[in-house]
Amino acid sequence: MSRIHKLDPVVIDQIAAGEVVERPASVVKELVENALDAGATLIEVSLLEGGIRRIEVRDNGCGMAADELPLAVTSHATSKLSAPSDLEAIASLGFRGEALASIASVARMTIVSRPEDASFGMEYQVLYGRPGSLHEASASKGTRFVVEDLFAELPARRKFLKRPATEAAHAQAWVERLALVHEGVGFRLEQDGKRCFEVLPEDDLGQRCAAVFGAGLAKNMVQIQAQADSITCTGHVGPPESARRDARRVHLFLNGRWVRDARLLRAVREGVKEFVPIGHYPTLYLSLQVPPQRVDVNVHPQKTEVRFRDERLVFGTVVRALRQGLAAAPWATRMVGTVGSTVQDRGSFPAPSWQRPQDLSAGLSSPSSREGFFPVPAPHLPMEVAAEDRGKGEFLSVANTFLFRAVAGGVEIIDQHALHERVNLEELRRELRQGQVVTQPLLVPALVDLSREELDLLLQHQDKFRKLGVDIEAFGETTLAIRGIPARLQRLQPEKLVLDLLEIAQSHRQATPDQIQEEMLFSMACRGAVMAGDAVDAEALESLLRRGADLPQDRTCAHGRPVRVFLSLEDLERAFYRR
Ligand code: ADP
Ligand code: MG
């Protein structure tokens, strides 16, 4: 072993670069963020071979003076922080002063910059950490960075780069993220000479969503918003069918910074729980504004992890924004015209109040200037039943699972279990709001053998169960007696219910009483529902459809799977090649 010595500054930067510069996309991110911090309103990015060969970022921001250029690429040099107290409330995207030094230590970097008041620009070069010359160059106001041959002198790092197409996709993802959240700034991205992404400075959030998610999806996204204290949460969320198993379509921003925070993602899942299938993530643009002093972004060199001072408040606001927005979305509406016609023609039930798509859009409109940008309804929203359809109330039950029914403009297919589960859930909630779930005493109590520990745990929740309409008590040392179950859940098997509740109690020891109660409601709603494949007589199905028509939301079951699917005539025509 050799003697201890101080590391060479270039090596120090290269080590630091390991944390900041992982791949071309990280360079793009850092350079674009710098341009944003410099007040640019137009940022152009051009890449060759996914950025492995060359990355160019041009901006029309404030520029740098000649004497600032060599300093900018020195580590721990920044114009964004001066006093230690500045760290308490960071308002810029950068602040660590190490991105340029890191990039310059692992590539060939050229900077051309001209501040507004300078009559000419200056060019400065750094080659793998070795400073080059500084000389005059013609330039328009702003800054241009060229970064070439990333990691060419560091084979160990270069071999971790993927194919150019993969690197290109990562880089594009960063440009899109930053373009989404920075309204007022135009972005252009070129890959190997081809324009592949563009938003104009004047493009609003809707147009930015269209550029990132595609126009078709963007127009079906709905706005979300919630506020608590000085925290605001705004955004757009896509319909359930745009959900994915991975979180790639989830874009979370904190004060204009794209973040990836596991706990924040959990809040998102909580907020969309009933609208998106379990294990899926929605298409989401969500922007949080939190006073800078209430959040710490200085947790990780890439600054995508954050710590909130009032975590509960922030997460609660996110959950609320999503729940409220989704509940008002066209896909969460009552079953427009599904059963009412049958019912009305037989004269036995009051006609449901029709809700037209236009009415729905009224409920959705936002107070902002973006009003009307996202037209509703979603394409698969059943239309109002027209007069000539009123007599066609019959449905066809297929495989004792799906109910088919002609409605105006197409065919509606309902999943009997999903609908029943949703009906149960909403009705149980209504009873709870009125006091407690109505209990039906069992003629003969059901007995369940348990361990002493399991019995104890269940008895701890005895009061909660009673509120939920489940009456239990101890029957000896290791036996539980179930004396009553919720009256409206006729199909429930008491023993199964109790074992479910036991499992919830066991797996939610850290959860709040409200969360446990919600989980139990879900489980009861599911257990008390007809299953797929259960033969159910027509009258019972009709009654179920009728109950469904009164729900505040019936688009998805408690687990987020769809209750009903609508096939438009257009869909059918396409399937038969008539279009
Ligand atoms: P940080 O962004 O954390 O301050 P960087 O290493 O990314 O650190 O940049 C160092 C400094 O260089 C910045 O603080 C800023 O003053 C200057 N700078 C970088 N990019 C630009 C740009 N595009 N326009 C104007 N100034 C820039
Ligand atoms: Mg920076």
Side-chain angles (χ1 to χ4, degrees):
M1 234 168 70
S2 51
R3 293 182 58 78
I4 298 175
H5 59 95
K6 274 276 202 192
L7 282 175
D8 180 84
V10 174
V11 178
I12 292 176
D13 288 342
Q14 286 178 343
I15 291 171
E19 292 178 318
V20 183
V21 189
E22 199 186 330
R23 58 190 342 157
S26 355
V27 176
V28 170
K29 170 202 179 243
E30 294 297 337
L31 295 182
V32 173
E33 286 191 344
N34 279 346
L36 288 163
D37 281 343
T41 56
L42 207 56
I43 300 172
E44 295 179 310
V45 180
S46 322
L47 307 178
L48 288 183
E49 293 173 20
I52 299 172
R53 217 173 86 208
R54 187 173 189 275
I55 299 166
E56 179 171 344
V57 177
R58 296 179 293 277
D59 70 57
N60 62 353
C62 65
M64 284 172 276
D67 58 336
E68 287 182 298
L69 288 177
L71 206 54
V73 297
T74 313
S75 53
H76 315 300
T78 178
S79 55
K80 299 166 196 176
L81 282 187
S82 39
S85 61
D86 291 349
L87 261 182
E88 297 293 309
I90 292 160
S92 53
L93 293 169
F95 58 87
R96 301 171 64 103
E98 58 181 15
L100 292 186
S102 296
I103 298 166
S105 74
V106 294
R108 290 191 306 173
M109 180 190 268
T110 309
I111 317 174
V112 181
S113 194
R114 201 194 106 192
E116 177 111 71
D117 53 10
S119 44
F120 51 84
M122 293 301 287
E123 178 174 321
Y124 183 61
Q125 263 205 342
V126 193
L127 307 176
Y128 300 95
R130 299 180 295 274
S133 58
L134 179 69
H135 52 81
E136 279 180 29
S138 75
S140 43
K141 183 212 158 194
T143 304
R144 187 165 72 96
F145 279 92
V146 177
V147 174
E148 291 166 295
D149 299 323
L150 184 66
F151 300 146
E153 292 194 0
L154 296 99
R157 306 234 19 220
R158 186 155 177 125
K159 73 167 189 262
F160 282 102
L161 294 180
K162 300 278 187 315
R163 291 181 304 125
T166 308
E167 297 300 338
H170 282 284
Q172 177 152 351
W174 265 112
V175 174
E176 291 179 356
R177 286 164 192 167
L178 291 163
L180 264 179
V181 75
H182 290 280
E183 279 185 84
V185 182
F187 291 80
R188 260 188 220 138
L189 172 65
E190 253 180 31
Q191 305 250 27
D192 297 318
K194 278 201 262 354
R195 168 82 44 86
C196 49
F197 178 80
E198 177 168 29
V199 295
L200 304 175
E202 62 270 25
D203 283 348
D204 66 16
L205 185 52
Q207 285 157 313
R208 284 162 200 262
C209 283
V212 173
F213 301 120
L217 174 51
K219 84 173 189 293
N220 286 321
M221 293 175 85
V222 292
Q223 291 196 338
I224 57 169
Q225 192 185 4
Q227 188 158 8
D229 253 354
S230 45
I231 296 165
T232 54
C233 172
T234 52
H236 287 101
V237 59
E241 52 271 24
S242 68
R244 292 287 176 273
R245 282 195 178 276
D246 58 68
R248 253 177 277 173
R249 281 192 180 171
V250 176
H251 293 269
L252 305 176
F253 297 90
L254 170 67
N255 298 343
R257 187 192 303 281
W258 185 89
V259 292
R260 173 105 305 174
D261 184 85
R263 285 153 315 152
L264 202 51
L265 269 179
R266 229 176 292 143
V268 167
R269 284 174 76 151
E270 181 66 27
V272 302
K273 195 164 66 176
E274 290 181 49
F275 293 88
V276 162
I278 284 186
H280 286 62
Y281 292 91
T283 300
L284 175 67
Y285 162 84
L286 189 145
S287 167
L288 272 170
Q289 295 293 330
V290 180
Q293 57 284 6
R294 294 169 76 166
V295 34
D296 187 1
V297 289
N298 191 17
V299 179
H300 187 270
Q302 290 177 9
K303 297 169 290 193
T304 52
E305 282 170 42
V306 285
R307 299 266 185 281
F308 296 101
R309 300 265 147 89
D310 8 45
E311 220 172 67
R312 271 175 179 254
L313 189 63
V314 173
F315 296 166
T317 312
V318 169
V319 173
R320 200 152 46 83
L322 284 163
R323 284 203 184 142
Q324 287 172 353
L326 285 164
W331 57 76
T333 55
R334 57 184 64 204
M335 210 178 310
V336 185
T338 306
V339 70
S341 45
T342 329
V343 163
Q344 200 175 44
D345 290 343
R346 300 202 179 159
S348 41
F349 304 104
S353 56
W354 303 113
Q355 209 173 350
R356 294 158 209 264
Q358 299 90 288
D359 300 338
L360 301 175
S361 65
L364 255 183
S365 64
S366 70
S368 82
S369 59
R370 266 183 283 289
E371 187 167 310
F373 186 80
F374 292 98
V376 281
H380 285 204
L381 178 71
M383 299 294 131
E384 184 195 14
V385 172
E388 67 265 28
D389 284 318
R390 291 250 157 114
K392 302 181 192 157
E394 298 82 29
F395 51 80
L396 177 68
S397 171
V398 174
N400 287 327
T401 301
F402 301 111
L403 311 178
F404 281 64
R405 204 191 102 97
V407 293
V411 176
E412 187 167 55
I413 309 164
I414 297 163
D415 177 321
Q416 68 179 33
H417 170 72
L419 174 61
H420 200 180
E421 185 178 302
R422 170 56 66 184
V423 165
N424 284 343
L425 182 64
E426 297 298 334
E427 292 181 351
L428 289 169
R429 278 178 175 162
R430 192 159 59 207
E431 288 183 0
L432 257 184
R433 275 196 301 274
Q434 289 161 0
Q436 72 160 67
V437 173
V438 181
T439 308
Q440 163 95 58
L442 295 175
L443 284 176
V444 183
L447 301 181
V448 188
D449 285 327
L450 298 166
S451 75
R452 199 180 286 253
E453 193 198 351
E454 290 167 337
L455 184 64
D456 269 358
L457 182 61
L458 281 172
L459 291 175
Q460 281 170 31
H461 290 284
Q462 198 169 13
D463 289 345
K464 195 172 301 133
F465 289 158
R466 184 153 306 136
K467 236 184 130 196
L468 293 172
V470 183
D471 214 348
I472 56 165
E473 64 186 36
F475 190 85
E477 302 255 296
T478 56
T479 306
L480 181 86
I482 310 163
R483 300 200 170 274
I485 60 167
R488 65 172 59 260
L489 303 183
Q490 299 290 326
R491 311 194 133 247
L492 214 59
Q493 285 181 285
E495 300 80 358
K496 277 205 178 131
L497 171 71
V498 160
L499 293 179
D500 279 354
L501 299 186
L502 177 65
E503 203 192 311
I504 293 170
Q506 283 169 335
S507 56
H508 287 73
R509 286 177 200 264
Q510 313 292 345
T512 66
D514 277 356
Q515 281 169 330
I516 296 179
Q517 177 172 308
E518 272 284 288
E519 286 299 318
M520 292 181 170
L521 268 183
F522 277 32
S523 160
M524 287 165 48
C526 179
R527 282 282 185 210
V530 296
M531 291 295 147
D534 282 358
V536 185
D537 62 51
E539 213 172 308
L541 286 175
E542 254 182 44
S543 140
L544 181 60
L545 289 168
R546 192 181 71 247
R547 283 155 74 192
D550 282 341
L551 298 178
Q553 91 102 328
D554 75 339
R555 172 77 185 245
T556 52
C557 76
H559 300 98
R561 284 195 306 107
V563 163
R564 61 209 169 93
V565 164
F566 177 68
L567 294 179
S568 67
L569 282 179
E570 214 177 299
D571 294 333
L572 295 172
E573 283 164 0
R574 224 174 265 128
F576 288 95
Y577 294 98
R578 285 178 171 276
R579 270 181 182 256

